[in-house]
Structures are given as C-alpha cells and as structure tokens.
Amino acid sequence: MRLDVVTIFPGYLDPLNVSLVGKARARGQLDVHVHDLREWTYDRHNTVDDTPYGGGPGMVMKTEPWGDALDSVLADGYEGGAGRPALIVPTPSGRPFTQGLAVELSERPWLIFTPARYEGIDRRVVDEYAARIPVYEVSIGDYVLAGGEAAVLVVTEAVARLLPGVLGNAESHRDDSFAPGAMASLLEGPVYTKPPAWRGRGIPEVLLSGHHGKIARWRRDEALRRTTASRPDLIERCEPAAFDKKDREM
Ligand code: SAM
C-alpha cells in the first residue's frame, strides 16, 4: 500500500518510522511519502493560509498550495503504478472513523492524507478532488484537535495492522473489539498473562481449564458485559440474530 501525507508539519509524522508501521515500511509492505505543503508555495513567506471570506476568527488554508501539492502527488503515484488513489481528509465534520472504515481503507492500494491546520482547507479543494477520485472525510472523534496530523497517525496505524503480513499473528485482530464475526462487533473482554497470582489477585479459573468451549463462552460473556457497561449503543445496533440463547439470559 502507498501512503502520502501532505502537511505543514512533516516532523509530526516521524512516528510513522517506529513500531508496527515503521516495521511494515522496512519490510516494503507500506510505501510512505511525507510532503511539506510549503514546497508548493511561491511567495517569500511560504504562505498557506488567508483570512476567511465572510469574516470571522481564524485563518483558512489556501486552494493553490493544496491543489498544486495534490496534483504533484497524484502524478507521482500514477507514474509509479500506485493504483487507484483515495483522498483521506481528516476533519471533525467527517464521518466517524470506525474499525469498519479501517477495513475498507485497508483494501485500497493508495491513500493520500490532507491533514489541515487553522480553520481547515478552502472547501473548493475537497470538491475539486471529489470530482476525480474517492474522497473520505473522516473524524477520529467528537473533539477538535489543532491539526489533522494526529488523525493521520490514528488512521494509518489502524489500517496498517490489517494489511496482510503486518501483524506477526494474522489471527490477532480477529477477536479485537469491534471486529465483525464471532464477537458480533462487541468490545473485547479483559485479558491476562503470567504470573497466575499478582499482589493477591488471581486470574479467572476457566482460563486455566484448557477447555476451549468454556473459554470461548467466558470470553463472549465478558465481552457482552463490558460492552453493556461502556457502550450500550453497540449492543443496540447489533442484529438480534447476533445473540445466542445464553447471551439473551445475561
Ligand atoms: N474549525 C474546524 C471545525 O470546527 O470543524 C476545526 C479545525 S481544526 C482546529 C484544524 C484541523 O484539525 C482540521 O481541519 C482537521 O484536519 C484536524 N482535526 C481537528 N479535529 C479533528 C478530528 N476530530 N478528527 C479529524 N481531524 C481533526
């Protein structure tokens, strides 16, 4: 997968060199390109923002640097055979970023991120590229960050761990919270490792039983309990058929 990020703070994306994403890059599973938006400014002050039409506080990012940057990134990727691109626009007014959307994005060959600053990017930029390629306007939560770079890191990590061969054990995201399938999009329950006793706290007996059926049932019960307590909205959204008889007794 190819990833391009256009930003006025390229250094903010340095974490893409470490841990899971860094290793995926080193193995050639991710081809990451971080670009400084100011390379596409032609005035003495490398201006990327201007006052908003209609007045009001704050500044708005200008069309020209974004348009030139995106045209250049698109030309480079097409030339390199990156496949069909999608533009990922982080914004608090976008659709919520979910595990389902992470799965959808992980199936695309090439993502181009446009993290903004100030009051965001002149709307015409999104409209221009939406006429040419798929555009996802994505929010990582109901709060306002100073810029979209942290959102890029969030989306990239969630997507990268779904790519084939990136996680050591391909099974490890199967039972994650929100994962579709046996756990019916529930939150994952508690997890434990050695030692079996710590500061007087033991672990649930069933996990030592070696009985796969009972362990699976316990995990499902805990997932249901945790989801009911912290995210009842997820339970309400589940199809009734997702629950078995034992679930309904809880
Ligand atoms: N005035 C904008 C509003 O109220 O929607 C907020 C602009 S914010 C200060 C600057 C940039 O940070 C946004 O354009 C976006 O790129 C990014 N950003 C802030 N909060 C975000 C969120 N919850 N999800 C994704 N991106 C976010």
Side-chain angles (χ1 to χ4, degrees):
M1 172 183 272
R2 172 166 168 152
L3 299 181
D4 286 273
V5 186
V6 182
T7 169
I8 57 167
F9 293 120
Y12 208 120
L13 282 307
D14 285 353
L16 295 180
N17 290 316
V18 295
S19 188
L20 178 129
V21 174
K23 284 188 192 144
R25 290 178 78 171
R27 285 195 294 254
Q29 293 157 324
L30 266 183
D31 177 23
V32 179
H33 303 251
V34 178
H35 313 270
D36 187 342
L37 179 68
R38 294 193 200 275
E39 279 178 30
W40 289 277
T41 54
Y42 308 102
D43 63 312
R44 208 155 51 91
H45 302 290
N46 300 113
T47 310
V48 293
D49 60 313
D50 207 336
T51 52
Y53 274 122
M59 300 294 272
V60 174
M61 296 192 95
K62 291 163 67 63
T63 49
E64 301 96 320
W66 279 105
D68 289 355
L70 292 174
D71 285 351
S72 162
V73 165
L74 282 167
D76 184 61
Y78 285 134
E79 201 180 304
R84 187 155 159 71
L87 198 66
I88 314 298
V89 180
T91 165
S93 48
R95 74 193 250 201
F97 184 60
T98 60
Q99 188 66 14
L101 185 50
V103 171
E104 187 179 331
L105 296 181
S106 73
E107 288 159 0
R108 292 194 158 274
W110 179 16
L111 305 176
I112 303 169
F113 292 91
T114 61
R117 290 268 151 180
Y118 314 107
E119 294 307 317
I121 306 172
D122 185 309
R123 180 69 207 174
R124 291 170 291 179
V125 174
V126 171
D127 293 342
E128 166 75 11
Y129 290 93
R132 299 197 219 164
I133 60 175
V135 172
Y136 294 80
E137 293 184 73
V138 175
S139 165
I140 61 161
D142 292 346
Y143 41 76
V144 177
L145 301 164
E149 290 77 7
V152 174
L153 295 176
V154 167
V155 173
T156 300
E157 188 155 312
V159 167
R161 68 192 287 283
L162 297 174
L163 298 178
V166 167
L167 282 186
N169 178 353
E171 302 277 283
S172 28
H173 55 73
R174 202 197 49 197
D175 288 341
D176 279 342
S177 300
F178 314 110
M183 299 305 261
S185 304
L186 301 177
L187 304 181
E188 192 177 73
V191 292
Y192 301 89
T193 186
K194 293 171 233 11
W198 179 75
R199 298 189 182 178
R201 295 170 189 277
I203 62 169
E205 278 295 310
V206 63
L207 297 180
L208 298 171
S209 69
H211 192 300
H212 297 307
K214 283 189 181 157
I215 293 173
R217 183 71 246 175
W218 178 86
R219 288 199 169 130
R220 187 167 173 93
D221 290 348
E222 289 303 312
L224 257 178
R225 200 167 287 133
R226 185 173 269 188
T227 312
T228 306
S230 14
R231 291 291 304 277
D233 58 304
L234 291 177
I235 303 270
E236 277 155 30
R237 269 189 266 151
C238 278
E239 294 289 327
F243 300 108
D244 61 25
K245 188 161 167 280
K246 178 83 182 357
D247 292 339
R248 284 189 280 270
E249 285 164 7
M250 281 190 68

